[in-house]
Amino acid sequence: MELTLEETLNWLSAEVNSFSEMNGSLTEEAFFQVFTDEIIAAGEIDNADRCYFKKLGMRIDGYGSDPIDSDNELNVIVADYSSSETIENVNKLDIENVCKRSGNFISKCLSQDFINEMDVSSPEYGFADMVRLRWKDISKIRIIFITNKSLSIRKTEFHPLPILGIKSEFICWDINRLQQYKNSGKEKEPISIKLEDFGGAISALNATNPNDICESYLCIMPGETLAKIYEKFGNRLLEKNVRVFLQARKKSVNDGIKTTIENEPGMFFCYNNGLTATACNIKKSLTNHGIAIDIIDDFQVVNGGQTTASIFYSSKRDVDISDVKVQMKLTVVEDKKSQEIVPKISEYANSQNKVNKADFFSNHPFHRVFKKLSDLKSAPPAPGSNQITYWFYERVRGEYAEAKQSKSKPERKTFDNIYPRKQLVTKTDLSIVLNSFEGYPDIVSKGAQKSFQHFSVLIREEWDKQGLENKKFNDQYFISSMSKVLIFRIFEKLVSSQEWYEKGGYRRNIVTYSLAKLNMILKQKGLELNFEKIWKNQTINEDLEEILLSIGFEAQNHIENPPEGTIKNRTEYAKKKTCWDLFKKTDLDLPDKFDSFTISKSEGLKIRKEGIKLKKMDNEFSSQMQVINYGGSFWTKVLEFSNQNNLLLKNDWILLRNASSLPKSISKFNDRDWNNLLKLLERARSKGFSK
């Protein structure tokens, strides 16, 4: 169901209010966090850190990442939030003021006197100092304007004046653009390429058979066209999986690619593997030379990120790329099939990269398993209430809002009672919380995307260890995970209310470092958090609150006082492993009040073993029913295929022969046989069995 503009505003307001209430943060801070989460998901930026500064003629609200981690782009964020229940307008003068004020602030950052006027522990001091240090490396400045108002003029792109000689670009995310993004149903904002704006149509050869489910084309992409497209859209052009292992930045362009571009540009087509790309739609025309592609909708490069970036950076070094031609395999996949097919194209195209398994985690079966657990496992009623609730795990972006929106107005109230907004957990939420408890606060501090990538590695490793049995991800795992989310969120709110906490400071860093430190301390004492008790009460007790706040106070002091020789920007310092290594060594004087919220390591192990035992029983029953439901004739076909392809040992052949007589032969099987049959089926399918 598509959202109207008014519904989008209402959704955004509800999210902001909910975030503000849950975290005890100011409404403006909540708006910044909620909106930047959306544009990060859309692929506009990789990270967003709050950094509020307002003075006569100057204004910023935050920034993206360290420019050296963002293609040497400085991303500055300016927010304009209205509490109005109706949609207000933004006019051209407002936009010009945004550009002027943010530009003034950036210019001032080059003055040490200006920086010295700021509080050395403030986020704005750290940001200004970073701009000063990185200035010689910055190639472009992007002013990103986020607002819940509507841009009231047709021209939505502005070209602000260069800032001290560096090219600047204005990007507006207003309520209209947010509505379009939410309604697109995409994990990221679609990119539409009108090729005449980048050098003209590209030649293509149709490689599609009549019965193919997708259109495929072999194309010739001029290097100049590709460079212009990348300059416009940057890493948004690259499918997220590609960005993870893209290394072709200015300082590390692949030597082979670089040499060919500089010395033998005419041979680039011969020497380079080219690009693999996808689109949801194209517009093409017939010319005297064959097919020409004019427009590509939802264009994504799923393999060839290094080639793309290398050509762009070569052009920026004034290398002549006019003779560079790139071969491109373009697959057009309609929207309803893209979720299934595009990840496979991306994974297979990138199969030579060692990190590839971690990069395709968004579609990993772990999410389906965890979603099923969240659907089935109800939370105990809160104290003083009889209302049964559920924690809602959002496997697909926008799933929660869509589920609620699909209800009638009376039903929405019931939905809110059963699935309260405070119990919504996204994939990135889960990664941030579990990475914190696992001892990776430096990774969490790098932002949601980096945290999710790291989380994917940890979960994949665990998943692959278990194979088809998958006993670890059970009810007990779900209960402990949601209890950790609960602790994280309660602690965030507690931090916000402390006198020692500076509003708009380093709350996320304080929380993740504190929880990592707490878990480390408990391990050293041979203790674990009592997740069963926390889950039962759906809250934490005063003793745990007191200890968390004691650690939080020390965490803030640690982050705000980096040692000599390290980066002055506290936000960036928290992203360094050095910061965590030093905090791990810090001795803390904590109250001895652990008994009321912990259990011994042996008790924790016993609980986990019981969870695995119950999950194993469920798996065995599920495997048995799956094998029986396939039916004897199906297993006869598996036997025939496996036999013809020499896939069977003697015991395998006996097992499949018995399965061919199901259900009459059910008494011939033991508990392990059901899983073994599914493994034989998986092996047959890997060799081409498709029945």
Side-chain angles (χ1 to χ4, degrees):
M1 181 182 292
E2 292 198 348
L3 297 172
T4 64
L5 207 57
E6 288 73 21
E7 287 170 340
T8 305
L9 179 67
N10 292 337
W11 168 84
L12 181 59
S13 298
E15 291 290 300
V16 170
N17 292 333
S18 177
F19 185 95
S20 178
E21 182 182 343
M22 281 196 302
N23 297 281
S25 56
L26 299 173
T27 306
E28 289 76 12
E29 183 184 351
F31 172 74
F32 178 89
Q33 189 63 55
V34 170
F35 211 123
T36 55
D37 281 349
E38 291 296 316
I39 67 173
I40 288 170
E44 188 69 69
I45 50 176
D46 291 328
N47 188 37
D49 291 307
R50 175 99 164 135
C51 172
Y52 178 73
F53 182 90
K54 185 178 181 181
K55 201 172 182 180
L56 185 63
M58 292 182 281
R59 168 76 182 266
I60 66 162
D61 288 83
Y63 66 99
S65 300
D66 188 327
I68 63 171
D69 296 324
S70 303
D71 285 334
N72 292 341
E73 291 179 349
L74 176 64
N75 292 301
V76 179
I77 304 167
V78 182
D80 183 14
Y81 173 73
S82 169
S83 58
S84 172
E85 294 180 0
T86 58
I87 297 172
E88 298 180 0
N89 289 330
V90 179
N91 57 45
K92 187 176 181 181
L93 180 61
D94 295 326
I95 299 303
E96 289 173 347
N97 286 334
V98 165
C99 294
K100 189 181 298 181
R101 290 167 184 165
S102 56
N104 288 342
F105 176 79
I106 294 168
S107 300
K108 283 283 191 179
C109 290
L110 299 189
S111 166
Q112 189 63 58
D113 290 340
F114 174 70
I115 295 174
N116 291 340
E117 293 174 3
M118 302 178 187
D119 178 356
V120 70
S121 66
S122 66
E124 55 267 27
Y125 175 90
F127 173 68
D129 190 62
M130 182 181 71
V131 171
R132 182 183 64 81
L133 291 173
R134 303 293 190 221
W135 189 255
K136 65 181 185 303
D137 298 314
I138 295 170
S139 59
K140 184 165 72 172
I141 296 167
R142 299 170 79 234
I143 301 166
I144 302 171
F145 180 55
I146 57 174
T147 181
N148 60 345
K149 299 177 182 179
S150 173
L151 195 61
S152 60
I153 50 181
R154 289 185 180 181
K155 188 176 180 182
T156 57
E157 292 189 24
F158 294 81
H159 301 283
L161 294 172
I163 300 173
L164 298 181
I166 294 180
K167 179 182 177 181
S168 61
E169 180 181 359
F170 178 83
I171 297 99
C172 179
W173 274 83
D174 69 341
I175 196 68
N176 300 287
R177 186 168 178 182
L178 181 64
Q179 179 206 20
Q180 292 165 10
Y181 169 58
K182 300 294 287 183
N183 287 339
S184 74
K186 301 284 186 181
E187 287 288 334
K188 63 191 298 300
E189 188 185 34
I191 293 172
S192 183
I193 307 288
K194 192 175 181 181
L195 286 161
E196 71 175 6
D197 295 337
F198 299 94
I202 58 174
S203 302
L205 176 67
N206 193 335
T208 308
N209 291 319
N211 296 324
D212 290 347
I213 60 174
C214 303
E215 294 178 49
S216 294
Y217 297 87
L218 294 175
C219 310
I220 300 173
M221 174 75 81
E224 290 179 322
T225 299
L226 187 60
K228 289 175 182 176
I229 292 172
Y230 186 80
E231 181 174 26
K232 170 68 176 175
F233 297 104
N235 279 350
R236 287 182 57 212
L237 182 70
L238 308 179
E239 207 269 343
K240 283 183 182 178
N241 307 330
V242 178
R243 287 186 236 165
V244 177
F245 47 81
L246 174 63
Q247 297 174 343
R249 301 190 187 278
K250 272 187 175 179
K251 57 189 179 184
S252 59
V253 174
N254 179 283
D255 286 338
I257 297 175
K258 179 181 175 182
T259 300
T260 305
I261 294 172
E262 293 181 352
N263 300 327
E264 298 180 276
M267 297 299 291
F268 194 88
F269 189 91
C270 302
Y271 293 162
N272 188 265
N273 291 331
L275 313 179
T276 300
T278 62
C280 71
N281 185 48
I282 62 169
K283 291 184 181 177
K284 56 186 186 290
S285 56
L286 283 176
T287 70
N288 293 334
H289 303 287
I291 297 172
I293 297 177
D294 304 299
I295 296 175
I296 308 176
D297 290 327
D298 197 10
F299 183 54
Q300 283 289 283
V301 175
V302 299
N303 181 259
Q306 190 167 105
T307 294
T308 303
S310 297
I311 291 173
F312 168 71
Y313 287 128
S314 293
S315 71
K316 287 299 166 186
R317 297 196 312 273
D318 295 324
V319 175
D320 184 2
I321 60 170
S322 58
D323 290 333
V324 173
K325 300 289 187 294
V326 185
Q327 56 186 314
M328 179 175 73
K329 181 177 73 173
L330 178 65
T331 303
V332 182
V333 186
E334 58 182 89
D335 270 348
K336 62 182 179 180
K337 294 177 181 175
S338 63
Q339 291 262 342
E340 174 191 354
I341 295 174
V342 172
K344 289 182 179 178
I345 295 172
S346 189
E347 181 168 2
Y348 300 154
N350 289 291
S351 60
Q352 74 275 16
N353 294 281
K354 291 182 180 179
V355 293
N356 123 318
K357 284 189 175 181
D359 304 329
F360 305 98
F361 185 62
S362 290
N363 302 288
H364 194 274
F366 165 81
H367 300 296
R368 290 194 293 273
V369 170
F370 204 84
K371 175 63 176 172
K372 186 177 180 181
L373 290 169
S374 77
D375 289 341
L376 297 176
K377 192 68 180 176
S378 62
S385 171
N386 294 320
Q387 176 68 56
I388 295 293
T389 64
Y390 289 82
W391 286 76
F392 191 105
Y393 182 63
E394 192 173 69
R395 186 174 71 86
V396 179
R397 185 185 67 83
E399 190 175 24
Y400 180 86
E402 186 175 341
K404 182 176 177 178
Q405 195 65 26
S406 65
K407 312 291 182 187
S408 65
K409 285 190 176 181
E411 289 174 332
R412 287 177 196 171
K413 186 174 182 180
T414 303
F415 182 89
D416 285 336
N417 290 333
I418 297 173
Y419 302 102
R421 173 62 181 76
K422 66 180 182 179
Q423 290 175 203
L424 166 64
V425 181
T426 67
K427 290 183 288 191
T428 51
D429 289 340
L430 187 66
S431 77
I432 286 167
V433 171
L434 297 191
N435 280 339
S436 298
F437 278 89
E438 288 297 318
Y440 302 102
D442 51 323
I443 302 294
V444 171
S445 296
K446 291 180 180 179
Q449 295 301 316
K450 289 287 194 302
S451 179
F452 186 69
Q453 290 162 14
H454 183 81
F455 179 65
S456 73
V457 175
L458 301 181
I459 295 298
R460 266 197 178 274
E461 288 175 353
E462 285 297 324
W463 186 276
D464 292 344
K465 283 180 190 175
Q466 299 175 85
L468 287 174
E469 291 187 347
N470 182 28
K471 294 176 291 189
K472 177 178 177 177
F473 302 110
N474 51 38
D475 281 0
Q476 190 278 327
Y477 179 85
F478 177 77
I479 286 171
S480 65
S481 297
M482 293 302 96
S483 298
K484 290 172 183 176
V485 172
L486 190 66
I487 295 168
F488 193 100
R489 290 178 175 175
I490 291 173
F491 186 33
E492 277 192 317
K493 194 167 185 177
L494 286 170
V495 168
S496 297
S497 64
Q498 300 309 300
E499 290 184 3
W500 48 260
Y501 173 70
E502 182 180 345
K503 298 297 181 186
Y506 312 100
R507 183 180 58 212
R508 174 60 56 84
N509 309 119
I510 293 167
V511 171
T512 184
Y513 269 82
S514 299
L515 293 175
K517 183 74 171 180
L518 172 67
N519 216 32
M520 188 190 83
I521 291 170
L522 293 180
K523 284 181 180 179
Q524 291 170 347
K525 292 177 175 289
L527 299 173
E528 296 181 9
L529 286 165
N530 189 342
F531 294 119
E532 298 284 339
K533 183 177 180 179
I534 293 168
W535 176 255
K536 180 181 178 181
N537 296 325
Q538 291 291 292
T539 190
I540 64 176
N541 65 24
E542 291 180 359
D543 291 343
L544 180 52
E545 286 185 7
E546 184 179 349
I547 285 177
L548 281 172
L549 288 172
S550 296
I551 300 173
F553 178 74
E554 298 296 337
Q556 175 170 269
N557 286 339
H558 176 74
I559 292 166
E560 289 189 347
N561 294 283
E564 287 296 323
T566 55
I567 191 167
K568 292 181 181 179
N569 185 316
R570 272 64 172 171
T571 304
E572 297 303 315
Y573 173 56
K575 299 174 185 178
K576 306 297 182 186
K577 191 172 183 300
T578 304
C579 183
W580 172 228
D581 287 341
L582 291 173
F583 193 52
K584 279 193 287 188
K585 297 174 184 176
T586 303
D587 291 326
L588 304 181
D589 183 19
L590 301 176
D592 189 12
K593 296 184 177 181
F594 294 94
D595 291 346
S596 66
F597 60 86
T598 61
I599 56 177
S600 68
K601 183 178 179 181
S602 59
E603 288 177 284
L605 184 60
K606 183 179 178 181
I607 291 171
R608 285 190 292 278
K609 283 183 176 179
E610 184 63 25
I612 288 172
K613 181 181 177 182
L614 292 173
K615 178 66 173 175
K616 185 178 180 182
M617 291 170 62
D618 287 343
N619 286 346
E620 287 170 354
F621 178 73
S622 176
S623 298
Q624 179 181 347
M625 294 308 299
Q626 191 175 347
V627 169
I628 292 171
N629 288 337
Y630 274 127
S633 60
F634 174 84
W635 291 107
T636 299
K637 293 173 183 176
V638 177
L639 174 60
E640 291 172 353
F641 178 88
S642 301
N643 215 17
Q644 291 167 3
N645 289 275
N646 298 317
L647 301 179
L648 303 177
L649 299 174
K650 182 179 178 181
N651 288 341
D652 299 335
W653 187 88
I654 294 171
L655 195 57
L656 283 169
R657 185 191 63 183
N658 291 338
S660 300
S661 302
L662 283 169
K664 288 189 288 186
S665 58
I666 192 170
S667 61
K668 296 181 180 181
F669 296 94
N670 60 42
D671 290 341
R672 286 181 299 177
D673 289 339
W674 308 113
N675 263 332
N676 287 336
L677 277 167
L678 293 176
K679 288 177 182 178
L680 291 174
L681 174 59
E682 185 180 17
R683 184 168 68 188
R685 282 176 170 162
S686 71
K687 298 297 182 181
F689 179 74
S690 58
K691 297 291 188 294

